[in-house]
Amino acid sequence: GNSVTQMEGPVTLSEEAFLTINCTYTATGYPSLFWYVQYPGEGLQLLLKATKADDKGSNKGFEATYRKETTSFHLEKGSVQVSDSAVYFCALSRASNTGKLIFGQGTTLQVKP
Amino acid sequence: ETGVTQSPTHLIKTRGQQVTLRCSSQSGHNTVSWYQQALGQGPQFIFQYYREEENGRGNFPPRFSGLQFPNYSSELNVNALELDDSALYLCASSPNGQLTDTQYFGPGTRLTVL
């Protein structure tokens, strides 16, 4: 079946450190891939997305590249800030499941000053 | 432009009761999806409504049901509540229910079943 696996957290970094959160997926065909962020006490916000292989999604300094050969969509940021502390979810959506998002378990990021 | 809104914010019920959660979609969006997020987990897809018709359902029992109204707002109904139904219920709207549509999430309703 379709699934998303994320690295376990929490990930604790100092401000201005480099961030990588790993995400791999299992799906048939060509899913669309997403990163959502959830700040404490809030709903999910779309951070970035990629809809085909080799696409790079980017937003607010975050980037992720759709790698079909490794079935991965790792999230990166060159310099994290305290305000980036949140839970990050990787998700996929397949053509035969219109709009349905399949989420990973989430990775908590804590950034210390 | 008004975003996705949900009501109530918090709710406490007891086992066996019934609950109705409400969602107003973002202006111009005709598709609403509902997700259940247990504590410490990723959201799980419950079902989706597109132009007032159910357009896909996840692995949830029939006591989870829904409606979408002509103005594209939606309700999630849960009958015979169980302790495991305690979770954050998220509603998301999108323009046309297409694969690449961005889904815009509301803040959620926190349901506690005692």
Side-chain angles (χ1 to χ4, degrees):
Chain A
N2 305 308
S3 64
V4 175
T5 303
Q6 296 178 229
M7 63 187 287
E8 287 194 19
V11 174
T12 303
L13 296 174
S14 298
E15 206 165 22
E16 299 184 1
F18 185 86
L19 168 71
T20 299
I21 300 178
N22 291 335
C23 171
T24 58
Y25 68 90
T26 301
T28 55
Y30 298 88
S32 290
L33 301 174
F34 305 81
W35 277 101
Y36 279 84
V37 59
Q38 186 173 38
Y39 297 101
E42 297 184 13
L44 300 175
Q45 299 176 26
L46 178 69
L47 185 56
L48 52 83
K49 70 178 184 182
T51 58
K52 60 183 187 293
D54 299 325
D55 268 2
K56 177 185 283 188
S58 61
N59 185 28
K60 300 180 182 179
F62 291 89
E63 293 183 341
T65 301
Y66 188 143
R67 301 288 189 198
K68 185 163 175 59
E69 64 276 13
T70 55
T71 62
S72 65
F73 192 55
H74 305 321
L75 182 68
E76 297 181 335
K77 186 176 186 183
S79 176
V80 294
Q81 305 300 312
V82 172
S83 57
D84 294 326
S85 298
V87 182
Y88 291 81
F89 291 94
C90 185
L92 69 82
S93 179
R94 282 188 55 233
S96 62
N97 290 299
T98 305
K100 168 186 173 181
L101 289 167
I102 297 170
F103 288 88
Q105 73 273 30
T107 303
T108 299
L109 170 65
Q110 298 173 338
V111 180
K112 298 187 174 179
Chain B
E1 185 178 83
T2 306
V4 178
T5 60
Q6 294 185 242
S7 63
T9 306
H10 297 88
L11 203 52
I12 300 174
K13 291 284 187 179
T14 56
R15 272 188 306 174
Q17 285 188 312
Q18 179 265 341
V19 68
T20 297
L21 310 182
R22 295 179 174 81
C23 170
S24 291
S25 59
Q26 188 163 316
S27 177
H29 290 187
N30 56 22
T31 303
V32 170
S33 302
W34 285 92
Y35 294 82
Q36 181 195 64
Q37 186 180 13
L39 198 61
Q41 302 295 316
Q44 299 289 317
F45 175 76
I46 302 175
F47 44 57
Q48 181 185 82
Y49 280 85
Y50 171 63
R51 293 186 173 181
E52 303 179 59
E53 298 288 331
E54 189 177 287
N55 184 41
R57 187 179 181 93
N59 294 325
F60 281 81
R63 60 190 184 84
F64 285 79
S65 63
L67 280 174
Q68 188 178 31
F69 299 99
N71 66 355
Y72 302 130
S73 66
S74 177
E75 286 183 354
L76 164 65
N77 299 290
V78 187
N79 293 322
L81 283 167
E82 301 177 0
L83 296 179
D84 285 349
D85 295 334
S86 295
L88 181 67
Y89 288 85
L90 295 166
C91 166
S93 75
S94 55
N96 285 303
Q98 297 300 307
L99 167 65
T100 56
D101 275 351
T102 296
Q103 293 194 24
Y104 295 85
F105 284 82
T109 293
R110 173 74 62 186
L111 173 65
T112 302
V113 182
L114 302 176

